[in-house]
Amino acid sequence: MDGGGETKTKDVGQLGRVTIRTVAAHSGVSVAAVSKVLRNAYGVSDNLRNKVTASIDALGYRPSRSARGLRGRTFTIGVLLIDIANPFLPQVIAGVNGVLAPSNIRAMIGVGQAETQLETSLIESMIDYKMDGVILVAPRLPSDVIATFARDIPIVVVGYHDPGAQNFDTVNCDDEAGAALAVQALLAQGLSDIGMLTVEQKVCYDVSVVQQRERGYRDAMAAAGLAKQARLHRLPENFATHDAALSAFLDDPERPAAVFCWSDLDAIPLLNLAAARGIGVPDQLAIIGYDNSPLGALNLISLSSVDQDGQGLGALATETLLSRIEGRKAALHLKIPPSLVLRRSAG
């Protein structure tokens, strides 16, 4: 009270439960404007964002996820991975979080461990929790199963080449181009006896990065007039047996002079096993991997590798998902260009 009149605003601590309407009144804008800031909608001015953010901080506003779910939005997205041990995946997650950081949207991560039933149940849980959308990273689910889920929740898939999909979006590195970069780099070193280490994949092979990289390798060899010399050395689908298979590859008397590995997951162990056998790299065996993982960049390892920009993939997938959540219907199938980082393993 001041001179018998009531104050126009209450002390923040006396406001009770703070709602989006409280924030709107405090900042002098509409509820719709506050909602736009909360979801980081396109076209929000810095002035509006700063004004609303200041009120949110002053009021201690914390959005109710359950209430949002009842209204159709929870401002959460799910990110489903199949192999948390892959050092490439933290880069993807960093890209997702980088896009979400300015907004009030948060990512919840699930790990499916390449098991179809577990992947399916995790997606169903994300739907049940009314998440706004899902990013699937290299799922092992058939396209028609993903399309069925996409009727209930917006989906973007990373590391899954299905340009004909209509119900969901895909975001990928141009894996064919990445494989070609590796072959071309080895050719530039004067090498022509170039093999490829790849991996058996019985499930979803037709949409996998494995198939794309094999195709890029074959096409690049054919373009160099070496189609008949192209050789695929397939490792078992079970990663637990890869050391034995890599050892057999190194011991093969017809081992090629250079090899492009489908992933750093096998290229780095191959380097290690070659060193244990006294095989000179790159003089006796030149090696190029795929993913440009942080471990491969260490000076003691110095693996040449194709960089598919995991952080860029995560960011683009998130932006694509947000546009789908905002109402876009037409499917998008996007690719980002790879680059090659040359280190000692390939001269």
Side-chain angles (χ1 to χ4, degrees):
M1 302 290 289
D2 183 10
E6 184 176 321
T7 55
K8 293 183 179 179
T9 59
K10 294 182 179 180
D11 181 83
V12 170
Q14 298 175 345
L15 287 172
R17 188 172 72 86
V18 179
T19 68
I20 192 172
R21 294 184 181 279
T22 316
V23 174
H26 188 273
S27 56
V29 301
S30 68
V31 171
V34 175
S35 178
K36 285 183 178 180
V37 172
L38 288 173
R39 69 175 188 271
N40 197 31
Y42 177 78
V44 173
S45 69
D46 290 341
N47 181 54
L48 174 60
R49 188 184 308 281
N50 293 337
K51 185 182 295 186
V52 172
T53 300
S55 292
I56 288 172
D57 292 342
L59 298 171
Y61 173 61
R62 186 164 182 250
S64 167
R65 305 286 176 184
S66 59
R68 282 172 166 176
L70 293 173
R71 293 197 303 271
R73 292 290 301 271
T74 61
F75 287 66
T76 57
I77 66 170
V79 180
L80 179 58
L81 314 173
I82 64 166
D83 181 12
I84 196 64
N86 190 330
F88 166 71
L89 295 177
Q91 301 173 38
V92 177
I93 295 170
V96 173
N97 288 334
V99 171
L100 296 182
S103 72
N104 205 49
I105 303 170
R106 294 295 175 260
M108 309 295 285
I109 298 173
V111 182
Q113 299 178 337
E115 296 179 12
T116 300
Q117 185 174 358
L118 182 54
E119 283 186 82
T120 299
S121 65
L122 282 171
I123 297 173
E124 289 171 343
S125 294
M126 290 172 179
I127 294 172
D128 291 343
Y129 279 106
K130 299 185 182 299
M131 291 187 179
D132 296 332
V134 178
I135 296 174
L136 307 179
V137 183
R140 303 298 292 272
L141 297 172
S143 184
D144 60 337
V145 173
I146 297 175
T148 299
F149 282 126
R151 296 173 189 162
D152 297 321
I153 190 169
I155 292 178
V156 175
V157 191
V158 178
Y160 194 95
H161 292 266
D162 187 5
Q166 296 299 313
N167 291 3
F168 60 89
D169 306 313
T170 62
V171 172
N172 293 289
C173 172
D174 189 338
D175 288 298
E176 286 190 44
L181 285 176
V183 173
Q184 290 159 6
L186 293 169
L187 291 169
Q189 296 292 330
L191 299 165
S192 58
D193 184 13
I194 305 169
M196 178 179 177
L197 266 178
T198 185
V199 64
E200 293 282 357
Q201 192 167 17
K202 297 175 183 176
V203 178
C204 294
Y205 172 75
D206 57 332
V207 295
S208 71
V209 299
V210 175
Q211 185 203 53
Q212 296 290 313
R213 294 170 193 176
E214 289 176 5
R215 184 179 296 152
Y217 161 77
R218 286 196 183 100
D219 288 350
M221 291 290 284
L226 299 170
K228 292 184 179 179
Q229 286 93 318
R231 287 183 288 165
L232 294 177
H233 304 266
R234 293 196 180 276
L235 302 171
E237 193 168 24
N238 182 1
F239 272 82
T241 64
H242 276 207
D243 275 359
L246 292 171
S247 294
F249 169 78
L250 290 173
D251 294 337
D252 188 340
E254 297 185 1
R255 183 188 71 223
V259 64
F260 163 54
C261 293
W262 77 281
S263 170
D264 289 1
L265 291 172
D266 283 310
I268 292 174
L270 181 67
L271 268 173
N272 183 58
L273 290 169
R277 282 168 165 69
I279 297 171
V281 176
D283 295 339
Q284 293 174 280
L285 178 64
I287 301 172
I288 294 181
Y290 207 110
D291 286 341
N292 193 29
S293 59
L295 186 59
L298 294 177
N299 189 54
L300 284 174
I301 298 174
S302 195
L303 173 68
S304 297
S305 189
V306 177
D307 190 331
Q308 59 174 325
D309 188 7
Q311 190 162 338
L313 283 171
L316 183 57
T318 307
E319 291 164 355
T320 303
L321 182 62
L322 293 178
S323 71
R324 171 75 78 165
I325 291 169
E326 291 291 339
R328 174 179 50 80
K329 300 297 183 183
L332 293 177
H333 300 291
L334 308 175
K335 290 183 182 180
I336 65 174
S339 59
L340 177 64
V341 181
L342 282 173
R343 301 190 182 96
R344 284 197 309 271
S345 72

